[in-house]
């Protein structure tokens, strides 16, 4: 590699592999973080970035390969070990203690001490206030963490990491919830740290941030190292190509359909503090994408439409009939299906077998008299397992042993087996390998062609652009744009999503 | 426990840069957080006012002394229980530990009158800590759910107690006067046992608030996953909480022996639910992460005062259990309703700020 | 708490699930062993009248354990069952003293139990309170109400036709056991072979996902508490007639015996796992051990100790295996222990 | 439907078990008799003493006695023990019933299996047993306790009763007689203000005593007809300002109360000798099991050192008058 600094890297991974059961999250990945250098980590969802971060933070232990600290092999038995080695981490998901104050959250585990081993509260408070001042945010250090917005939670996480005065600062999508203002401040602080000799690892899906902050980028694809480059030598397109591996168009075969009747109508739906005045329609045979930045409130809209959450105002109509609010069973009876974004928490019951998970959303269909017919249950699961090319040993195995992509297929099977007339899919391809992704897209296209109304929430712009007949864009809890397929481009969607587009 | 606890997030508001004045809502929150204990104090004051109005004898120094004395043993147990509950666990075995240590202590005193009382008390505490360590290892290391582990040891410790006692009862007459005097002695007009409970309360309360391990217990109960990420030694802390609860139960056993003088294998049977009730009424969240020992002790005092008041008000003895139960439920329902209100208020406030 | 499949592709099946299944097998083996040992080694164990005593003695616990199993599988708990039993006994005694016909009193008792359960259910599902806290409260409340209603009386002049029925046996099998068997078959069918049962397992294992799948989580939980209360009331009828004595303190302390049996039967306190046959075997196992040890003149204190030991061992055994096999750090979800 | 009145009519017919065999007063006591004592609860010192007396009696007649029982005083747990004793084919069961009715079905089965049943201390319903060894007539006890206290307080003032559990049979009978005694004219200046229940738990009794004195500061005396209650009350009083002012009497054992009699907390209390009670019950059970007696009124049998006893009406045997213990005689007793 060109112009390698003469000193060994502060922290490095050498041919590290990590598997979760059948899911190979990382495979022989190497990475070097140098003092005073900001390093980006890029890759699609599920590429293994967070896993890599968690290995560096001591939360996961690698199955193979080594962690090198100042060139010497090191072993992290837990987050405490990594912290002692000077590694500070901002995790992708905020991990705060809701019952404790913001200050305590920042200093938990290493509170400043006064006499008799007491915690020096005033000192902690002063330091927290100083940190927030540096980040240019107004947060009361004495406020409890419960009730903070995601953005504020993220800021607390950032303050927590910065407070460590670490030698290595690892940030897994720290900016996902932040606005430009805070990002600029954050970059200012990180830049200062870097200049003082701190090594920085930065994960983000916002390419412009990578180009602004970093000097070097490592790209992962499906857990494997793709390339390590100097940012200066690249264009954003190069980076996308490295992440995806092929041209996007090839991935999303979209079948043309003629939209029919309005199948789903959402009118002035509001959930206070989350989204406001959302109205849209989806016609039979149409694939409508709901785009927006993370946290824009898209999943919340889907949840409210399906009745998982109770909306504060507005109504949902399916096939012209008003839906009883806050009742998933009513929504299901009306022909609605929701493939939720979080399959582990919301989509599946990990301890239950594949067949029972699939049957759970359609219990009446597998009943013979008052009893469940195991044969019918198995037949239903088997049909869909074959159609979705599910890889499994036995249908009676718990679903938790399947690989991530196959788990996602089970969630899809669970809902498709109901033959819904309106299908809402939230991040349908998150964590799915590239091959399966194409399969899911093909399936969604076929369903739409067969007359199903599809509402697709996705954070992946290429997926949105490739699949959708229409793109609805949300920004800060409001629907800000409705872009037909012909006009939908990366620029137009992103402009709307960041609030700069035409309303 | 979904992600909801971490707060309902609002869309990242650009307007957050033009900051809304945070203090008002925050003051509301912290005020409400304190109201829990304040509520008990108010309830206590009310109880004393009403009962005192009907029967002024209730407010006499003697009567207050008795109430303090009556609540001190449960208070010590509630302090230990709070330590465990804060970490999102529970210790059902306390009553059996009290029984075991009370009997052990009384037996030594009766059969070996030469052993000095402080040594016996230390022995009781040690015995309790040992029992606590068994619980702690089962829960913290072997990952047995706390409810199961301590229900099991509830039976097991009591079994050991019965086997040890073998039908024997130690009477007041068998124990040295000096030890029994501890149970009824007063210092500066305050019962010694209440002072012991007060000392334990202040020490534990101070440690929970001011020492890092204390705050880490809250962190563990508040978000166990985040506790691991923060580098807290979760297992060690959980074991320590159980050991402390056991040690305090051991101390409570010694207090029991000193106070009541008559000790057999059945001492404190069924007390565990009283203790948990005191903790819950005291505003300690049963799912961990919040609550103070002060609240728990106030809960214990409140429950003891209710019993005394019901007796003084000449409420039928048979109705007391029902009233106790109703009050426990009222307390937790109020707590919950309050929490829901606050959550709703916060959500709406953020909505207004964002708009 | 989904554990990471540790063995990789070579061991595709969930080890915890297998161990649970194996644990139920273990209970069965233990039950058979203890029974054989007692039959051979304990005088007076293996004869018809002792068997019917033994079965009769487990009736109330078995009845309450049936619904408690469902409640615990749904990741809740009901500590108020024994108090509900007491309250129902008190109502029975009170109404009997007031001169009502027993045929009318019995359904009223069942209703009382159901109402007690409904109160628990409302507090848990509508207000979202933890069931442990709620039922500790109603544990005191219901028992207290029993004392308020019946006071210190013991109502004993119950109709011989019914008291006789409670101790009636067919060969060695008491009529009450037939009742238990019928209800157990019903409960086992509901839990293991109907959509409702599937839903109960689902919401116990992952309430959020069950909600997303259209399972009516709150409604099911509510009715489970109602069923639990009604079953406790049914147990109170058996109890009252069996002992020919309706008192407010009937069944004090039974709740822990019921919970112990359910946990020993392999039901996970975190919900989502367990079988009814396992629980019934555990009830029997505890009954047999107790009966045999008393017959063998083993002291009462040993009984408590054995119960506690069995209980801890039941959860410890599968866990020890898991600890040994644990390769990763404890993922935080494993450490999650809800009381 | 079946109502209470139906049942009362039915049961008004005599249900006394017809003695199957005639008594043979000259039959020798069988050797190797197996007799079990089933107290309200084991680990209770009162019953430990009583049952030791009974076991000693059995030894004297060449039989074998044992004590079994539940660790908590509840009716249902006693039933399991009756059942197992039936299985063990004991010759006789000597029981103190927690609930006079709840144990009857099981006892009936035991008797059907040829086992003799003697109740002592606390009777069962008559159809459950052959004999009841009564420690003292309920009437005697109830009235003498009121008399004892009345003398101590000069027939004047408020008094309270600290009983065992609300359901305790013997205590409740005694209390009835106490109330009856109090209704006599000589007690017109005495008022029974409250019956409190200490549940035979030491701590509860202790706190109940506190409560009594708190709500009735002018209380003159307390009767506690239970050994646990009187000990707890004495302990509270001895360390309170009420010591010696509020009089305490009731039933207790000399060893438990010696200290309080000497320090003036208690002037006098009464009790039968529990060892003798068990001893007599043991002899009665042995005589029954040997066919010397059947339980019919008027039959006589010898009870070792206690001499000859005659069965009274309703199958009762009376142990004798209780002893009143004062500081003058308390040192003569050790139990
Ligand atoms: N604890 C776990 N158990 C099982 N599989 C896991 C676990 N954590 C991650 N995985 C799997 O490992 C793979 C890599 O996940 P990882 O979180 O590292 O992706 P990522 O690159 O961070 O994705 P994103 O951009 O969405 O954050 C995914 O397929 C995921 O499903
Ligand atoms: N179960 C939940 N509990 C608490 N907060 C939640 C929950 N689900 C979503 N949120 C928060 O509500 C806000 C809106 O989130 P939502 O998931 O609807 O956004 P989104 O546009 O779908 O983004 P994403 O790409 O993350 O799915 C986010 O800040 C999110 O963190
Ligand atoms: Mg990630
Ligand atoms: Mg989303």
């Amino acid at each position: 590699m060109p112009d390698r600094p003469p000193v060994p890297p502060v922290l490095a991974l050498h041919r590290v592999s990590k598997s979760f059961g059948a899911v190979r999250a990382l495979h022989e990945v190497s990475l070097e973080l140098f003092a005073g250098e900001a390093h980006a980590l890029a890759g699609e969802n599920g590429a293994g970035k967070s896993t890599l971060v968690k290995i560096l933070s001591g939360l996961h232990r690698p199955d193979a390969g080594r962690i090198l600290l100042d060139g010497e092999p090191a072993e992290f038995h837990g987050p405490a070990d990594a912290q002692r080695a000077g590694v500070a981490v901002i995790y992708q998901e905020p991990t705060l203690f809701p019952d404790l104050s913001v200050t305590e959250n920042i200093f938990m585990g290493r509170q400043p001490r006064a006499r008799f081993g007491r915690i020096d509260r005033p000192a902690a408070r002063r330091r927290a206030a100083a940190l927030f001042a540096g980040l240019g945010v107004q947060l009361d250090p004495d406020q409890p963490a419960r009730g903070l917005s995601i953005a504020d939670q993220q800021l607390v996480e950032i303050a927590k990491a910065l407070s460590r005065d670490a030698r290595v600062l690892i940030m897994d999508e720290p900016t996902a919830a932040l606005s430009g203002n805070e990002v600029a401040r954050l970059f200012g602080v990180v830049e200062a740290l870097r200049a003082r000799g701190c090594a920085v690892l930065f994960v983000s899906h916002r390419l412009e941030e990578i180009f602004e902050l970093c000097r070097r980028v490592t790209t992962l694809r499906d857990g494997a190292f793709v390339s390590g480059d100097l940012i200066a030598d690249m264009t954003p397109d190069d980076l996308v190509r490295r992440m995806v591996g092929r041209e996007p168009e090839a991935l999303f075969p979209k079948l043309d359909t003629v939209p029919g009747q309005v199948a789903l109508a959402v009118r002035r739906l509001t959930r206070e503090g989350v989204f406001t005045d959302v109205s849209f329609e989806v016609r039979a045979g149409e694939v409508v994408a709901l785009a927006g930045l993370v946290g824009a409130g898209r999943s919340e809209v889907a949840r409210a439409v399906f009745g998982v959450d109770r909306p504060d105002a507005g109504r949902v109509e399916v096939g012209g009939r008003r839906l009883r609010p806050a009742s998933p069973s009513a929504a299901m009876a009306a022909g609605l299906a929701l493939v939720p974004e979080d399959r582990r928490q919301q989509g599946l019951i990990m301890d239950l077998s594949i067949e029972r998970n699939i049957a759970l959303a359609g219990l009446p269909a597998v009943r013979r008299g008052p009893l469940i017919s195991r044969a019918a249950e198995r037949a239903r699961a088997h049909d869909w397992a074959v159609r979705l090319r599910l890889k499994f040993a036995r249908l009676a195995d718990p679903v938790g042993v399947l690989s991530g992509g196959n788990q996602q297929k089970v969630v899809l099977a669970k809902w498709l087996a109901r033959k819904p007339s309106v299908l809402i899919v939230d991040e349908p391809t998150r964590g799915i390998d590239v091959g399966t992704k194409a399969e899911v897209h093909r399936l969604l296209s076929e369903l739409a062609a067969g007359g199903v109304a599809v509402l697709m929430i996705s954070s992946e712009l290429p997926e949105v652009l490739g699949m959708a007949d229409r793109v609805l864009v949300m920004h800060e809890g409001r629907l800000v744009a409705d872009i037909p397929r012909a006009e939908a481009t990366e620029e137009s969607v992103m402009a709307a999503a960041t609030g700069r587009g035409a309303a | 426990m979904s992600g909801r606890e971490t707060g309902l997030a609002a869309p990242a508001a650009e307007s957050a840069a033009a900051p809304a004045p945070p203090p008002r809502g925050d003051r509301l929150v912290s005020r409400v957080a304190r109201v829990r204990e304040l509520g008990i104090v108010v309830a206590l004051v009310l109880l004393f006012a009403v009962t005192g109005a009907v029967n002024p004898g209730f407010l006499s120094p003697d009567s207050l002394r008795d109430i303090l004395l009556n609540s001190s043993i449960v208070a010590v147990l509630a302090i230990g229980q709070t330590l465990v509950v804060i970490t999102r666990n529970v210790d059902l075995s306390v009553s059996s530990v009290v029984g075991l240590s009370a009997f052990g202590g009384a037996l030594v005193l009766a059969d070996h009158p030469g052993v000095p009382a402080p040594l016996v008390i230390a022995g009781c505490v040690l015995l309790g800590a040992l029992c606590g360590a068994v619980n702690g290892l089962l829960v913290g290391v072997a990952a047995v759910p706390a409810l199961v582990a301590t229900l099991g040891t509830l039976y097991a410790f009591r079994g050991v107690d019965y086997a040890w006692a073998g039908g024997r009862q130690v009477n007041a007459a068998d124990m040295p006067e000096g030890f029994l005097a501890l149970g009824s002695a007063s210092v500066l007009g305050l019962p010694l046992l209440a002072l012991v409970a007060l000392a334990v309360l202040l020490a534990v309360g101070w440690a929970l608030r001011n020492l890092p391990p204390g705050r880490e217990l809250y962190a563990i109960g508040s978000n166990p996953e985040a506790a691991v990420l923060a580098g807290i030694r979760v297992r060690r802390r959980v074991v320590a909480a159980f050991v402390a609860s056991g040690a305090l139960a051991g101390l409570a056993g010694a207090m029991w022996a000193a106070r009541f003088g008559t000790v057999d294998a059945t001492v404190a049977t069924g007390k565990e639910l009283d203790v948990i009730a005191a903790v819950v009424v005291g505003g300690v969240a049963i799912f961990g992460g919040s609550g103070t020992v002060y609240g728990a002790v106030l809960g214990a005092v409140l429950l003891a005062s209710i019993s005394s008041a019901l007796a003084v008000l000449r409420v039928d003895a048979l109705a007391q259990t029902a009233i106790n139960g109703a009050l426990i439920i009222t307390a937790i329902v109020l707590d919950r309703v309050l929490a829901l209100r606050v959550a709703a208020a916060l959500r709406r406030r953020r909505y207004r700020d964002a708009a | 708490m989904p554990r990471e499949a540790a063995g990789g592709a070579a061991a595709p099946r969930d080890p915890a699930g297998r161990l649970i299944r194996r644990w139920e097998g273990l209970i069965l083996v233990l039950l058979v062993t203890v029974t054989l040992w007692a039959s051979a080694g304990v005088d007076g164990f293996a004869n018809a009248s002792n068997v019917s005593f033994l079965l009769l003695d487990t009736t109330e616990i078995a009845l309450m354990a049936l619904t408690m199993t469902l409640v615990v599988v749904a990741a809740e708990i009901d500590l108020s069952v024994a108090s509900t039993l007491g309250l129902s006994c008190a109502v029975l005694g009170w109404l009997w003293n007031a001169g009502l016909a027993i045929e009318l009193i019995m359904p009223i008792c069942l209703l009382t139990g159901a109402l007690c359960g409904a109160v628990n259910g409302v507090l848990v599902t509508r207000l979202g309170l933890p069931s442990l806290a709620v039922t500790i409260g109603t544990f005191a409340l219901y028992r207290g109400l029993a004392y308020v209603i019946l006071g210190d009386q013991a109502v004993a002049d119950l109709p011989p036709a019914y008291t006789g029925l409670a101790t009636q046996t067919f060969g060695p099998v008491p009529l009450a056991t037939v009742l238990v068997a019928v209800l157990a078959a019903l409960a086992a069918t509901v839990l293991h072979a109907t959509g409702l049962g599937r839903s109960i397992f689902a919401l116990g294992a992952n309430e959020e996902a069950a909600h997303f799948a259209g399972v009516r989580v709150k409604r099911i939980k509510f009715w489970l508490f109602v069923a639990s209360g009604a079953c406790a009331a049914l147990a109170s009828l058996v109890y009252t007639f069996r002992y020919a004595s309706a008192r407010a303190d009937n069944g004090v302390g039974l709740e822990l015996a019921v919970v112990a049996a359910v946990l020993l039967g392999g039901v996970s306190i975190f919900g989502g796992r367990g079988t009814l046959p396992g629980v019934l075997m555990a009830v029997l196992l505890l009954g047999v051990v107790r009966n045999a040890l008393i017959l063998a003149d083993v002291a009462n204190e040993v009984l408590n100790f054995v119960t506690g030991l069995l209980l801890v061992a039941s959860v410890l055994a599968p866990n020890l295996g898991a600890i040994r096999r644990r390769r990763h750090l404890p993922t935080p979800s494993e450490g999650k222990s809800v009381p | 439907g079946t109502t209470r009145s139906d049942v009362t009519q039915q049961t008004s017919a005599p249900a006394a078990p017809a003695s199957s065999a005639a008594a043979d007063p000259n039959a020798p006591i069988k050797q190797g008799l197996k007799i079990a004592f089933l107290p309200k609860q084991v680990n209770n010192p009162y019953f430990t003493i009583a049952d030791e007396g009974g076991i000693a009696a059995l030894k004297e007649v060449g039989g074998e006695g044992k004590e079994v029982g539940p660790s908590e005083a509840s009716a249902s747990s006693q039933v399991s023990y009756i059942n197992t004793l039936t299985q063990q084919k004991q010759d006789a069961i000597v029981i103190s019933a927690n609930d006079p009715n709840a144990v009857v079905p099981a006892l009936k089965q035991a008797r059907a299996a040829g086992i003799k049943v003697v109740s002592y201390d606390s009777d069962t319903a008559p159809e459950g047993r052959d004999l009841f060894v009564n420690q003292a007539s309920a009437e005697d006890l109830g009235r003498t306790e009121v008399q004892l206290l009345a003398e101590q307080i000069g027939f004047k003032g408020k008094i309270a009763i600290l009983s065992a559990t609300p359901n305790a049979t013997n205590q409740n009978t005694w209390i009835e007689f106490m109330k009856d005694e109090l209704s006599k004219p000589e007690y017109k200046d005495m008022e029974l203000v409250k019956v409190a229940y200490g549940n035979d738990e030491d701590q509860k009794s202790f706190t109940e005593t506190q409560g009594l004195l708190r709500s009735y500061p002018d209380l003159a005396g307390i009767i506690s007809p239970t050994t646990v209650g009187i000990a707890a009350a004495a302990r509270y009083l001895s360390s309170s300002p009420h010591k010696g002012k509020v009089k305490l009497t009731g039933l207790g054992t000399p060893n438990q109360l010696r200290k309080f009699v000497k320090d003036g907390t208690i002037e006098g209390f009464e009790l039968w000798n529990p060892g003798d009670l068990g001893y007599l019950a043991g002899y009665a059970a042995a005589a029954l099991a040997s066919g010397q007696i059947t339980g019919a009124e008027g039959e006589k049998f010898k009870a070792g050192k206690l001499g000859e006893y005659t069965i009274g009406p309703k199958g009762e045997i009376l142990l004798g008058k209780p002893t009143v213990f004062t500081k003058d005689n308390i040192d003569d007793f050790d139990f």
Side-chain angles (χ1 to χ4, degrees), chain D residues 48-241:
Chain D
T48 309
I49 296 165
D51 295 343
E52 275 165 8
I55 291 167
L58 261 294
K59 200 173 250 170
E60 285 177 20
V61 298
E64 190 191 333
K66 67 173 179 183
E67 184 198 36
V68 295
S71 45
E72 82 281 12
S74 87
S76 57
S77 46
Q78 262 186 327
V79 170
S80 316
Y81 281 92
I82 297 170
N83 290 340
T84 39
L85 291 173
T86 311
Q87 289 311 314
Q88 290 174 338
K89 301 199 171 55
Q90 299 285 329
D91 293 296
I93 297 174
V94 181
I95 181 176
S96 170
N98 276 312
D99 178 326
N101 304 299
V103 291
V104 168
L107 286 178
K108 276 184 176 165
Q109 283 180 339
R111 295 177 71 197
I115 296 173
K116 303 296 176 190
V117 178
V118 175
S119 61
Y120 71 129
D121 177 67
S122 176
D123 198 8
T124 73
E127 63 266 33
R129 46 80 175 166
D130 296 280
L131 271 183
F132 172 42
V133 179
N134 198 344
Q135 55 272 46
S137 93
E139 181 160 0
D140 264 2
L141 271 179
R143 294 190 195 284
T144 53
E145 277 171 41
V146 171
Q147 288 156 11
L148 261 175
L149 186 66
E151 280 159 22
Q152 292 174 12
I153 63 174
F155 289 85
K156 209 157 132 192
K158 291 182 179 169
I159 64 166
I161 295 173
L162 175 65
S163 182
T165 63
N167 301 47
T169 330
N170 14 10
Q171 270 82 7
N172 286 347
T173 337
W174 300 334
I175 292 172
E176 281 317 305
F177 281 111
M178 290 181 204
K179 287 179 178 165
D180 187 67
E181 179 75 12
L182 282 168
S183 63
K184 291 183 181 165
E186 61 259 43
Y187 303 107
K188 64 180 186 318
D189 291 331
M190 282 169 63
E191 184 198 356
L192 174 62
V193 289
K194 172 143 178 169
V195 180
Y197 298 99
N199 289 354
D200 262 354
E201 283 169 33
D202 193 75
Q203 188 219 351
K204 180 98 165 79
S205 308
F206 193 89
T207 2
E208 283 298 324
T209 313
Q210 274 179 4
L212 281 176
L213 292 172
R214 195 68 54 225
S215 20
Y216 306 97
D218 51 347
L219 204 65
I222 299 174
I223 301 175
S224 183
T226 150
T227 54
V228 179
I230 194 171
R235 223 171 45 254
Y236 176 73
L237 287 179
S238 73
S239 65
S240 81

Side-chain angles (χ1 to χ4, degrees), chain B residues 68-305:
Chain B
L68 280 182
L69 207 53
N70 288 348
S71 47
S72 51
I73 289 178
V74 174
V76 168
L77 293 174
I79 293 169
Q81 189 70 242
T82 305
L83 291 173
V84 173
V85 171
I86 281 176
T87 64
R88 214 179 263 199
N89 285 299
V90 72
D91 183 358
L92 290 182
S93 73
V94 279
S95 54
S96 298
V97 178
V98 172
L100 198 57
S101 92
F103 187 79
L107 198 65
V108 171
L109 284 166
D111 291 355
H112 310 277
V115 183
L119 197 66
V120 173
I121 296 171
C124 287
V125 173
L126 202 70
L127 182 63
L130 215 68
C131 294
V134 172
N135 287 329
L137 291 177
L138 284 173
V139 175
V141 177
V144 178
L147 190 71
V148 183
T150 58
L151 182 57
T153 52
L154 167 91
Y155 284 116
F157 293 156
R158 184 65 72 183
V160 172
D161 193 7
Y162 276 128
W164 193 4
R168 187 161 164 196
Q169 184 180 45
V170 181
N171 287 315
D174 308 333
M175 278 191 261
E177 278 299 331
F179 181 73
L180 292 175
L182 296 178
S184 44
S186 284
V187 178
L188 304 172
L190 284 173
L192 183 66
L193 293 188
L195 288 177
V196 169
L198 188 70
V200 172
L201 170 67
L202 293 178
V204 176
W206 183 84
L208 269 184
R209 182 162 164 69
N210 290 310
L211 295 186
R215 302 313 297 170
E216 288 174 14
L217 292 183
Y218 283 96
I220 291 168
S222 191
N223 187 346
E225 311 177 14
V228 174
L229 295 182
I232 295 173
R233 299 178 186 280
V234 175
R235 285 188 210 172
R236 198 177 289 184
R237 296 278 175 259
V238 168
V239 173
F242 274 100
V243 170
S245 167
L248 287 176
L251 177 65
M255 292 165 72
W256 190 293
R259 166 114 199 272
F260 296 112
T262 310
V263 176
D264 61 18
T266 63
V267 159
T269 303
K271 267 275 174 277
E272 66 277 346
L273 294 184
D274 288 5
V275 173
I276 291 174
V279 167
V280 169
V281 168
V284 179
I286 198 80
F287 286 128
S290 75
T292 64
V293 282
Y294 305 108
V297 166
L298 281 173
V301 173
L302 180 66
L303 293 186
S305 310

Side-chain angles (χ1 to χ4, degrees), chain B residues 298-324:
Chain B
L298 281 173
V301 173
L302 180 66
L303 293 186
S305 310
I306 289 172
S307 311
S308 298
L310 293 180
V312 167
L313 293 175
R314 302 180 191 180
V315 170
D316 193 283
L318 296 168
Q320 289 184 16
T321 324
I323 294 177
N324 264 341

Side-chain angles (χ1 to χ4, degrees), chain C residues 276-330:
Chain C
L276 252 171
V279 171
L280 290 174
M281 283 190 300
V283 170
L284 264 184
L285 176 63
L286 289 174
V288 168
V289 167
R290 218 186 121 72
N291 180 284
L293 290 185
I294 294 181
L295 267 180
D297 278 336
V298 168
N300 193 281
E301 45 265 34
V302 180
L303 292 178
N304 277 323
F305 194 71
V306 169
T307 310
L309 231 51
L310 276 175
L311 193 61
V312 174
S314 73
V315 187
L316 194 57
N319 274 21
L320 284 181
I323 289 171
R324 199 162 35 73
R325 234 179 300 103
R326 187 155 56 201
R327 287 217 327 243
H328 314 289
L329 276 177

Side-chain angles (χ1 to χ4, degrees), chain A residues 18 58-59 77 306 308 328-329 332 344-346 348-351 356 360 363 370-372 377 394 397-398 401 415, chain C residues 2 4-5 12-14 189 193-195 198-199 202 205-206 208-209 211-216 273 327-329:
Chain A
K18 175 75 184 173
L59 189 63
H77 294 276
F306 190 64
V308 174
S329 49
M332 284 163 66
R344 295 190 142 256
Q345 273 308 309
Q346 303 165 341
L348 294 172
I349 290 152
M350 291 295 162
D351 290 346
R356 292 197 180 179
L360 188 62
L363 288 171
L371 302 185
I372 297 280
E377 194 178 53
R394 296 184 318 158
D397 286 339
V401 306
W415 289 104
Chain C
E4 293 156 0
R13 272 177 294 147
D14 171 24
T189 309
T194 66
R198 294 287 152 88
S199 304
N206 184 342
E208 194 180 1
H211 185 46
F212 269 85
V215 173
R216 298 179 172 187
R273 279 191 199 157
R327 287 217 327 243
H328 314 289
L329 276 177

